[in-house]
Amino acid sequence: MRIRTGAAAAALAGLLAVGAAVPAQADGNGAAQHRSAAVTQAARAGSGVGMFQTMGDNVHFSHTVRGTINAHGWWKNLRGPAGIKAKVTVWLQVKRGGEWKTLTKAAKNVYSGGGSGKRTAAAYKCTYNVGQYDFRSVIDVDLIGYADDSYKKITPTQRLGCGL
């Protein structure tokens, strides 16, 4: 679980006090990528956004639109002001020729939570349902009115029979 903070000074002090190490995150090729500590700074002087978590589900076949794959992204407010929105951007990607390529991208401003009204959905219509390909999603959450780091959640790779 990766938790992001908005009160830079308090978060940095907390990290230094406990000597926190940031865990490595595996990319789609299994290689470990070390990320810097997730410390975000509030855009407004003296105010902090608190803590939030970037969330998303694995790429999967739609339950409502036949022959379509979906990826969803949302955010969870752990400690901070209520009633703020975030721009949640989701890139649905496929691995071709050893590289990840974006098939579709969607963005939406949503409140914390998840569920159909509080998430962003990226969808791709398969041309046919044969041939196995690797898919993943990349999710970015930007709280509106606050600065943050460049962290993006990458969901685990899913092998699906969705033709390109």
Side-chain angles (χ1 to χ4, degrees):
M1 173 182 0
R2 180 163 163 79
I3 297 172
R4 295 165 67 182
T5 61
L12 184 56
L15 288 172
L16 294 174
V18 296
V22 177
Q25 178 173 342
D27 69 5
N29 298 325
Q33 297 176 342
H34 292 283
R35 300 198 183 269
S36 62
V39 178
T40 58
Q41 296 181 351
R44 300 178 191 136
S47 68
V49 72
M51 293 190 311
F52 68 100
Q53 185 176 7
T54 300
M55 309 286 288
D57 56 14
N58 296 339
V59 177
H60 59 278
F61 277 100
S62 171
H63 300 289
T64 57
V65 182
R66 188 176 179 167
T68 300
I69 56 173
N70 289 338
H72 301 104
W74 64 94
W75 69 288
K76 187 175 183 181
N77 188 354
L78 301 176
R79 187 181 73 215
I84 61 174
K85 281 188 171 183
K87 179 181 179 183
V88 178
T89 306
V90 179
W91 292 264
L92 196 155
Q93 298 182 328
V94 64
K95 192 170 191 180
R96 305 240 6 223
E99 294 184 18
W100 288 101
K101 306 206 189 277
T102 299
L103 293 174
T104 187
K105 173 184 166 184
K108 186 176 175 183
N109 294 343
V110 296
Y111 290 105
S112 171
S116 62
K118 296 180 180 177
R119 66 182 179 189
T120 301
Y124 178 79
K125 177 77 173 158
C126 304
T127 57
Y128 53 88
N129 290 334
V130 297
Q132 298 285 311
Y133 293 94
D134 290 333
F135 296 92
R136 73 178 186 184
S137 62
V138 178
I139 303 155
D140 186 28
V141 173
D142 294 312
L143 297 179
I144 297 171
Y146 297 90
D148 71 32
D149 60 11
S150 62
Y151 172 76
K152 292 175 180 57
K153 177 180 181 65
I154 300 172
T155 61
T157 301
Q158 302 297 306
R159 183 163 282 251
L160 301 172
C162 174
L164 306 176

mmCIF file of all heavy atoms in Angstrom, residues 9-36:
data_model
loop_
_atom_site.group_PDB
_atom_site.id
_atom_site.type_symbol
_atom_site.label_atom_id
_atom_site.label_comp_id
_atom_site.label_asym_id
_atom_site.label_seq_id
_atom_site.Cartn_x
_atom_site.Cartn_y
_atom_site.Cartn_z
ATOM 1 N N ALA A 9 6.229 19.126 5.513
ATOM 2 C CA ALA A 9 7.143 19.214 6.661
ATOM 3 C C ALA A 9 6.888 18.091 7.652
ATOM 4 O O ALA A 9 7.824 17.444 8.120
ATOM 5 C CB ALA A 9 6.984 20.570 7.343
ATOM 6 N N ALA A 10 5.633 17.830 7.969
ATOM 7 C CA ALA A 10 5.313 16.780 8.932
ATOM 8 C C ALA A 10 5.687 15.406 8.377
ATOM 9 O O ALA A 10 6.229 14.563 9.090
ATOM 10 C CB ALA A 10 3.828 16.829 9.281
ATOM 11 N N ALA A 11 5.410 15.183 7.127
ATOM 12 C CA ALA A 11 5.721 13.890 6.525
ATOM 13 C C ALA A 11 7.226 13.662 6.467
ATOM 14 O O ALA A 11 7.707 12.575 6.762
ATOM 15 C CB ALA A 11 5.120 13.799 5.130
ATOM 16 N N LEU A 12 7.955 14.692 6.078
ATOM 17 C CA LEU A 12 9.401 14.554 5.998
ATOM 18 C C LEU A 12 9.991 14.298 7.383
ATOM 19 O O LEU A 12 10.842 13.428 7.542
ATOM 20 C CB LEU A 12 10.024 15.804 5.376
ATOM 21 C CG LEU A 12 11.533 15.757 5.149
ATOM 22 C CD1 LEU A 12 11.896 14.556 4.288
ATOM 23 C CD2 LEU A 12 12.001 17.033 4.498
ATOM 24 N N ALA A 13 9.485 14.995 8.381
ATOM 25 C CA ALA A 13 9.962 14.768 9.742
ATOM 26 C C ALA A 13 9.663 13.340 10.179
ATOM 27 O O ALA A 13 10.489 12.683 10.812
ATOM 28 C CB ALA A 13 9.311 15.769 10.699
ATOM 29 N N GLY A 14 8.491 12.846 9.836
ATOM 30 C CA GLY A 14 8.129 11.470 10.182
ATOM 31 C C GLY A 14 9.028 10.462 9.506
ATOM 32 O O GLY A 14 9.450 9.478 10.107
ATOM 33 N N LEU A 15 9.345 10.682 8.250
ATOM 34 C CA LEU A 15 10.227 9.772 7.530
ATOM 35 C C LEU A 15 11.629 9.785 8.120
ATOM 36 O O LEU A 15 12.264 8.743 8.274
ATOM 37 C CB LEU A 15 10.289 10.149 6.043
ATOM 38 C CG LEU A 15 9.044 9.846 5.231
ATOM 39 C CD1 LEU A 15 9.174 10.456 3.835
ATOM 40 C CD2 LEU A 15 8.795 8.364 5.132
ATOM 41 N N LEU A 16 12.111 10.967 8.455
ATOM 42 C CA LEU A 16 13.451 11.060 9.021
ATOM 43 C C LEU A 16 13.513 10.464 10.418
ATOM 44 O O LEU A 16 14.494 9.842 10.798
ATOM 45 C CB LEU A 16 13.908 12.528 9.049
ATOM 46 C CG LEU A 16 14.107 13.171 7.678
ATOM 47 C CD1 LEU A 16 14.407 14.653 7.837
ATOM 48 C CD2 LEU A 16 15.204 12.475 6.903
ATOM 49 N N ALA A 17 12.448 10.629 11.186
ATOM 50 C CA ALA A 17 12.432 10.124 12.561
ATOM 51 C C ALA A 17 12.493 8.607 12.617
ATOM 52 O O ALA A 17 13.121 8.039 13.491
ATOM 53 C CB ALA A 17 11.175 10.626 13.282
ATOM 54 N N VAL A 18 11.834 7.939 11.691
ATOM 55 C CA VAL A 18 11.813 6.478 11.736
ATOM 56 C C VAL A 18 12.790 5.858 10.750
ATOM 57 O O VAL A 18 12.917 4.650 10.691
ATOM 58 C CB VAL A 18 10.388 5.929 11.462
ATOM 59 C CG1 VAL A 18 9.435 6.361 12.535
ATOM 60 C CG2 VAL A 18 9.901 6.331 10.093
ATOM 61 N N GLY A 19 13.456 6.683 9.947
ATOM 62 C CA GLY A 19 14.398 6.147 8.966
ATOM 63 C C GLY A 19 13.693 5.269 7.960
ATOM 64 O O GLY A 19 14.184 4.218 7.584
ATOM 65 N N ALA A 20 12.549 5.706 7.515
ATOM 66 C CA ALA A 20 11.707 4.889 6.645
ATOM 67 C C ALA A 20 12.385 4.634 5.308
ATOM 68 O O ALA A 20 12.962 5.510 4.711
ATOM 69 C CB ALA A 20 10.371 5.585 6.418
ATOM 70 N N ALA A 21 12.266 3.395 4.867
ATOM 71 C CA ALA A 21 12.740 3.024 3.537
ATOM 72 C C ALA A 21 11.527 2.852 2.651
ATOM 73 O O ALA A 21 10.499 2.354 3.082
ATOM 74 C CB ALA A 21 13.527 1.722 3.600
ATOM 75 N N VAL A 22 11.628 3.269 1.417
ATOM 76 C CA VAL A 22 10.529 3.130 0.483
ATOM 77 C C VAL A 22 10.679 1.796 -0.233
ATOM 78 O O VAL A 22 11.734 1.506 -0.793
ATOM 79 C CB VAL A 22 10.534 4.295 -0.533
ATOM 80 C CG1 VAL A 22 9.438 4.119 -1.554
ATOM 81 C CG2 VAL A 22 10.391 5.617 0.195
ATOM 82 N N PRO A 23 9.645 0.953 -0.223
ATOM 83 C CA PRO A 23 9.755 -0.341 -0.869
ATOM 84 C C PRO A 23 9.861 -0.195 -2.379
ATOM 85 O O PRO A 23 9.374 0.763 -2.946
ATOM 86 C CB PRO A 23 8.447 -1.049 -0.489
ATOM 87 C CG PRO A 23 7.503 0.060 -0.154
ATOM 88 C CD PRO A 23 8.336 1.172 0.375
ATOM 89 N N ALA A 24 10.494 -1.184 -2.996
ATOM 90 C CA ALA A 24 10.602 -1.192 -4.450
ATOM 91 C C ALA A 24 9.271 -1.625 -5.034
ATOM 92 O O ALA A 24 8.526 -2.369 -4.426
ATOM 93 C CB ALA A 24 11.692 -2.160 -4.890
ATOM 94 N N GLN A 25 8.967 -1.124 -6.225
ATOM 95 C CA GLN A 25 7.758 -1.532 -6.917
ATOM 96 C C GLN A 25 8.179 -2.192 -8.221
ATOM 97 O O GLN A 25 8.994 -1.661 -8.950
ATOM 98 C CB GLN A 25 6.878 -0.317 -7.204
ATOM 99 C CG GLN A 25 5.641 -0.679 -7.972
ATOM 100 C CD GLN A 25 4.703 0.506 -8.089
ATOM 101 O OE1 GLN A 25 4.807 1.458 -7.362
ATOM 102 N NE2 GLN A 25 3.789 0.433 -9.020
ATOM 103 N N ALA A 26 7.604 -3.347 -8.512
ATOM 104 C CA ALA A 26 7.971 -4.064 -9.728
ATOM 105 C C ALA A 26 7.224 -3.488 -10.910
ATOM 106 O O ALA A 26 6.052 -3.187 -10.821
ATOM 107 C CB ALA A 26 7.641 -5.541 -9.583
ATOM 108 N N ASP A 27 7.921 -3.332 -12.026
ATOM 109 C CA ASP A 27 7.242 -2.891 -13.225
ATOM 110 C C ASP A 27 6.724 -4.115 -13.971
ATOM 111 O O ASP A 27 6.820 -5.231 -13.494
ATOM 112 C CB ASP A 27 8.174 -2.047 -14.116
ATOM 113 C CG ASP A 27 9.303 -2.847 -14.747
ATOM 114 O OD1 ASP A 27 9.349 -4.078 -14.604
ATOM 115 O OD2 ASP A 27 10.146 -2.223 -15.396
ATOM 116 N N GLY A 28 6.148 -3.924 -15.151
ATOM 117 C CA GLY A 28 5.560 -5.028 -15.902
ATOM 118 C C GLY A 28 6.581 -6.081 -16.304
ATOM 119 O O GLY A 28 6.233 -7.215 -16.597
ATOM 120 N N ASN A 29 7.855 -5.746 -16.335
ATOM 121 C CA ASN A 29 8.887 -6.704 -16.708
ATOM 122 C C ASN A 29 9.475 -7.408 -15.493
ATOM 123 O O ASN A 29 10.379 -8.211 -15.620
ATOM 124 C CB ASN A 29 10.016 -5.996 -17.468
ATOM 125 C CG ASN A 29 9.525 -5.394 -18.751
ATOM 126 O OD1 ASN A 29 8.653 -5.956 -19.404
ATOM 127 N ND2 ASN A 29 10.047 -4.245 -19.111
ATOM 128 N N GLY A 30 8.986 -7.064 -14.301
ATOM 129 C CA GLY A 30 9.474 -7.694 -13.083
ATOM 130 C C GLY A 30 10.699 -7.013 -12.500
ATOM 131 O O GLY A 30 11.186 -7.393 -11.450
ATOM 132 N N ALA A 31 11.214 -5.987 -13.146
ATOM 133 C CA ALA A 31 12.388 -5.291 -12.626
ATOM 134 C C ALA A 31 11.950 -4.353 -11.516
ATOM 135 O O ALA A 31 10.909 -3.731 -11.585
ATOM 136 C CB ALA A 31 13.064 -4.493 -13.748
ATOM 137 N N ALA A 32 12.760 -4.258 -10.501
ATOM 138 C CA ALA A 32 12.414 -3.399 -9.362
ATOM 139 C C ALA A 32 12.765 -1.959 -9.695
ATOM 140 O O ALA A 32 13.813 -1.676 -10.242
ATOM 141 C CB ALA A 32 13.152 -3.860 -8.123
ATOM 142 N N GLN A 33 11.843 -1.075 -9.375
ATOM 143 C CA GLN A 33 12.087 0.340 -9.555
ATOM 144 C C GLN A 33 11.957 0.991 -8.188
ATOM 145 O O GLN A 33 10.923 0.891 -7.555
ATOM 146 C CB GLN A 33 11.053 0.968 -10.486
ATOM 147 C CG GLN A 33 11.069 0.422 -11.888
ATOM 148 C CD GLN A 33 9.941 1.035 -12.701
ATOM 149 O OE1 GLN A 33 8.992 1.578 -12.178
ATOM 150 N NE2 GLN A 33 10.066 0.922 -14.003
ATOM 151 N N HIS A 34 12.998 1.656 -7.736
ATOM 152 C CA HIS A 34 12.930 2.338 -6.449
ATOM 153 C C HIS A 34 12.339 3.713 -6.666
ATOM 154 O O HIS A 34 12.715 4.414 -7.577
ATOM 155 C CB HIS A 34 14.317 2.448 -5.819
ATOM 156 C CG HIS A 34 14.836 1.111 -5.407
ATOM 157 N ND1 HIS A 34 14.404 0.477 -4.270
ATOM 158 C CD2 HIS A 34 15.711 0.270 -5.999
ATOM 159 C CE1 HIS A 34 15.007 -0.691 -4.159
ATOM 160 N NE2 HIS A 34 15.803 -0.838 -5.198
ATOM 161 N N ARG A 35 11.402 4.056 -5.832
ATOM 162 C CA ARG A 35 10.757 5.353 -5.929
ATOM 163 C C ARG A 35 11.144 6.186 -4.713
ATOM 164 O O ARG A 35 11.334 5.675 -3.631
ATOM 165 C CB ARG A 35 9.249 5.195 -5.985
ATOM 166 C CG ARG A 35 8.797 4.379 -7.166
ATOM 167 C CD ARG A 35 7.327 4.630 -7.392
ATOM 168 N NE ARG A 35 6.831 3.809 -8.469
ATOM 169 C CZ ARG A 35 6.792 4.176 -9.729
ATOM 170 N NH1 ARG A 35 7.231 5.347 -10.097
ATOM 171 N NH2 ARG A 35 6.303 3.378 -10.653
ATOM 172 N N SER A 36 11.232 7.487 -4.913
ATOM 173 C CA SER A 36 11.534 8.371 -3.795
ATOM 174 C C SER A 36 10.342 8.421 -2.854
ATOM 175 O O SER A 36 9.241 8.042 -3.210
ATOM 176 C CB SER A 36 11.855 9.774 -4.315
ATOM 177 O OG SER A 36 10.735 10.296 -4.993
#
